[in-house]
Amino acid sequence: MFFKGMWKTLAQVATLLCGFALGVPGYPQSGALEIITLRYRTADQVIPVLKPMLDKSGTMSGMQNQLIIRTTASNLAELKKILASIDAMPRRLMITVRQDADLDRERSVAQISGRISSGNTTVVVPGGAGGGIEARRGDDVIRGRIDNTRSLESDGNTQTLQVLEGNSAYIRMGQSVAVPQRQVTRAIVNGRVVDQVGTGVEYRDVMTGFYVLPRLSGDVVTVEISPQRDTLARPEQNLPRGSVNVQSAATTVSGALGQWLEVGGIVQGASNDQSVLLGSTRTTSSDNRRILIRVDEIR
């Protein structure tokens, strides 16, 4: 009798809960549940597209290539139509990234030197030997010299990577450079603290690469990209040994397939003027860097 009464009570509670659930606003009273196996996309890729079209009373979840939808029959049919257009074979893309650097350096030197006498007074202005223009009158001599040197240097790096639309990809290559390091250790010798100086080696990564996530809408591509390029400092930069120039960016660009899109650029300039007696030296430099990307479809 006890168990019979308990089962009766549980049945009443279950009936009450079902009635309550059916009466709760927002609960899909005529909902249809369906598990859909995706062919080419994952649940994480299609849910953000389908969810705005989901009925207010419906639910949607999924994992990997399984999509679980509970909603009205009419809404489910609508979602399936949308899903048929987005769950298509992704297009294969070739990503090309160019990171260019153009360096322009110019140095100009103007100098006058010589020896001029007047009465008992002689003025001598020392200067570099050789080259230039020289004028003499008796023992007097005046030399003028103008030197102008210019160097142009172009450094480009191009990397390519294949990826399916809607998927992210990453490529990086470079080298680990050994950089000597001065190491100081302290030891106690005969009750005194003594610094012992030695040398060690630290490896520093110098890498070039990019992270990319392309999305297509017809023949228009939208790309999230984060390029990186590291280079060892040149001797003329007068930086500590082992210094690394670092260049990186993070942005989103959009354009037509097959066209070069400019991700970003940096223009730096510097000048240095030095003046001496009857002479001057002027040094100028410019550093122009550009990052470009092109997306082509592989057919």
Side-chain angles (χ1 to χ4, degrees), residues 202-224:
E202 177 184 338
Y203 286 89
R204 192 164 299 170
D205 291 339
V206 182
M207 297 294 177
T208 297
F210 61 89
Y211 161 86
V212 67
L213 173 59
R215 295 185 176 91
L216 287 179
S217 177
D219 289 332
V220 176
V221 61
T222 300
V223 187
E224 295 179 19

Side-chain angles (χ1 to χ4, degrees), residues 67-260:
L67 186 64
I68 305 172
I69 303 175
R70 180 188 292 275
T71 185
T72 62
S74 59
N75 185 226
L76 181 60
E78 182 183 357
L79 293 175
K80 282 186 174 182
K81 289 182 181 179
I82 300 173
L83 184 60
S85 64
I86 62 176
D87 187 22
M89 180 178 293
R91 295 153 74 178
R92 293 172 58 210
L93 305 175
M94 176 68 75
I95 311 294
T96 304
V97 174
R98 282 176 44 191
Q99 301 190 61
D100 300 332
D102 296 321
L103 308 177
D104 186 353
R105 296 183 178 86
E106 186 172 2
R107 185 172 185 267
S108 300
V109 178
Q111 188 178 58
I112 296 178
S113 62
R115 178 179 181 276
I116 300 177
S117 299
S118 178
N120 296 325
T121 304
T122 299
V123 178
V124 178
V125 180
I133 300 174
E134 182 178 297
R136 289 181 175 272
R137 183 178 180 182
D139 293 334
D140 297 337
V141 58
I142 297 177
R143 302 183 184 90
R145 182 169 66 94
I146 298 177
D147 291 335
N148 188 17
T149 59
R150 185 179 183 184
S151 65
L152 298 174
E153 183 179 349
S154 294
D155 183 15
N157 180 279
T158 301
Q159 291 178 306
T160 59
L161 181 66
Q162 288 191 36
V163 63
L164 297 177
E165 62 161 312
N167 293 272
S168 61
Y170 179 70
I171 183 173
R172 189 176 72 162
M173 61 181 298
Q175 58 182 330
S176 291
V177 180
V179 180
Q181 298 289 325
R182 182 173 178 267
Q183 298 177 342
V184 179
T185 58
R186 290 190 172 182
I188 299 177
V189 180
N190 297 326
R192 299 177 56 189
V193 177
V194 179
D195 290 340
Q196 298 178 340
V197 180
T199 57
V201 176
E202 177 184 338
Y203 286 89
R204 192 164 299 170
D205 291 339
V206 182
M207 297 294 177
T208 297
F210 61 89
Y211 161 86
V212 67
L213 173 59
R215 295 185 176 91
L216 287 179
S217 177
D219 289 332
V220 176
V221 61
T222 300
V223 187
E224 295 179 19
I225 181 170
S226 300
Q228 170 194 353
R229 188 180 185 204
D230 302 337
T231 56
L232 288 171
R234 296 176 175 83
E236 59 268 22
Q237 292 182 280
N238 297 320
L239 296 174
R241 184 178 178 184
S243 296
V244 177
N245 298 315
V246 178
Q247 172 183 295
S248 62
T251 187
T252 301
V253 294
S254 181
L257 286 172
Q259 292 186 356
W260 285 105

Side-chain angles (χ1 to χ4, degrees), residues 279-298:
S280 65
T281 301
R282 179 178 179 83
T283 304
T284 62
S285 64
S286 65
D287 188 349
N288 187 3
R289 299 174 181 267
R290 297 179 69 199
I291 305 172
L292 304 170
I293 183 173
R294 190 180 72 196
V295 181
D296 297 290
E297 183 176 0
I298 303 174

